[in-house]
Amino acid sequence: MARGEREKAQREGREPARVELARAVREAAVGSGGPAEFVELLTRAGYLVEVRRAPSGGLLGYKVARAGDVTATGEPVFYSGSKLAPDLSLPRLLRAWEVAGRARDVADPWSAAPRRVDAARRAVRAARRGQGVEDPDGLIHAAHSVTTAMRGTSGEWTAAVDHYDRAARLPRGTALREGARAAGLRRVARQLMRQRRILGIPDEAGAAGVALALALSSLLREIAAWQRDRGRAHQADAALSAADALTPLSGGQGTLVIDGLLLPVSAAPGQRPRTQPSREHGVPARATTGARIERLGGR
């Protein structure tokens, strides 16, 4: 972040625009199924969105601005998705929407989410043992969608998301290959976001929310171990911090029911939990000739 951006935020007594916009764009991306809904959600939230289209109507790029954030000449200060974060570039968003579109909807995302997250944990563990068939980096990135979907539901969840933002930053040039489990994570995250927009967090999701925190904490610790194996110390530490942030939701210990098995979970700070099954219970793209620009939103 440029020094000028930080100083401007301090003068105005508000969060830097780039930080706020990255969060808003990521939440809109997780909660939408494609470009049209994505733009609609950002516009509805009061942000300015400028999209560039080819003569055929295809989307070439997008950029966003915070309402009221203007230059000395009164022009909105726009940021392209790629300037906010590498995973918010248009090609990466299109890929994520495509992946999520392959997975089936579930009737109750609150109960399905812990099972999807635990399946991802087992896939990362298998990969660490050299037995995996799904790319852990794809799962790491898809898990970001689940944490994003829960941001703001409690202080613990918000802290976990802020830490995991750093853990999910993969080395430049990493080619993501997202399989069925990653698609499942993205799909259930989208459904959680949509239900929250309509219903908030329903009372009956309380127990499911605890189960999700337990499952995600376990996944994040497995991800931290994977990152450590790959020499990504900073990402590993951030993943552990995110897992630790969720620990108070279960009092440090808990049980997680996955596919009829009761899994006791011990989550000491900085360590991967010991989980044993019990048998007792079951700036957009460069200008293109003929491209047009649309500006939407703002209030």
Side-chain angles (χ1 to χ4, degrees), residues 260-284:
L261 293 177
L262 182 65
L263 305 179
V265 179
S266 173
Q271 298 179 358
R272 285 184 289 126
R274 298 184 300 276
T275 304
Q276 298 294 334
S278 168
R279 299 185 181 276
E280 296 178 6
H281 299 276
V283 120

Side-chain angles (χ1 to χ4, degrees), residues 20 31 50 73 76 81 92 109-110 112 116 145 204-205 207-208 214 232 248 255 271:
E20 177 184 336
E50 189 171 287
T73 59
R92 292 282 288 271
W110 292 101
R116 294 277 177 87
S145 296
E204 59 270 20
L214 283 165
R232 305 170 185 171
T255 56
Q271 298 179 358

Side-chain angles (χ1 to χ4, degrees), residues 40-205:
E40 178 187 354
L41 291 177
L42 284 172
T43 303
R44 192 188 306 167
Y47 296 99
L48 296 169
V49 185
E50 189 171 287
V51 297
R52 297 177 60 256
R53 298 184 183 277
S56 63
L59 188 63
L60 294 175
Y62 79 94
K63 54 185 178 180
V64 296
R66 185 165 63 181
D69 188 18
V70 297
T71 65
T73 59
E75 290 295 316
V77 180
F78 279 100
Y79 296 84
S80 67
S82 61
K83 294 297 183 182
L84 296 175
D87 63 306
L88 298 180
S89 67
L90 179 61
R92 292 282 288 271
L93 293 185
L94 291 173
R95 177 62 176 166
W97 289 323
E98 178 190 359
V99 169
R102 300 174 188 166
R104 296 181 179 179
D105 282 333
V106 293
D108 180 9
W110 292 101
S111 62
R115 294 195 300 273
R116 294 277 177 87
V117 170
D118 189 66
R121 177 189 62 80
R122 287 184 273 114
V124 175
R125 175 170 291 184
R128 290 186 61 222
R129 295 172 175 172
Q131 303 167 343
V133 295
E134 190 155 353
D135 180 16
D137 283 336
L139 291 164
I140 289 168
H141 196 257
H144 205 184
S145 296
V146 181
T147 61
T148 297
M150 295 300 290
R151 192 182 196 283
T153 59
S154 72
E156 292 87 354
W157 275 109
T158 297
V161 175
D162 291 343
H163 287 302
Y164 195 66
D165 281 348
R166 295 190 293 274
R169 294 173 189 169
L170 300 177
R172 187 178 298 275
T174 300
L176 292 178
R177 299 183 301 279
E178 299 190 14
R181 292 176 182 83
L185 291 180
R186 291 198 183 280
R187 191 71 171 195
V188 79
R190 181 194 303 172
Q191 290 177 271
L192 288 173
M193 288 285 284
R194 286 175 172 172
Q195 283 207 0
R196 284 186 55 198
R197 285 203 302 268
I198 299 171
L199 304 173
I201 301 180
D203 292 339
E204 59 270 20

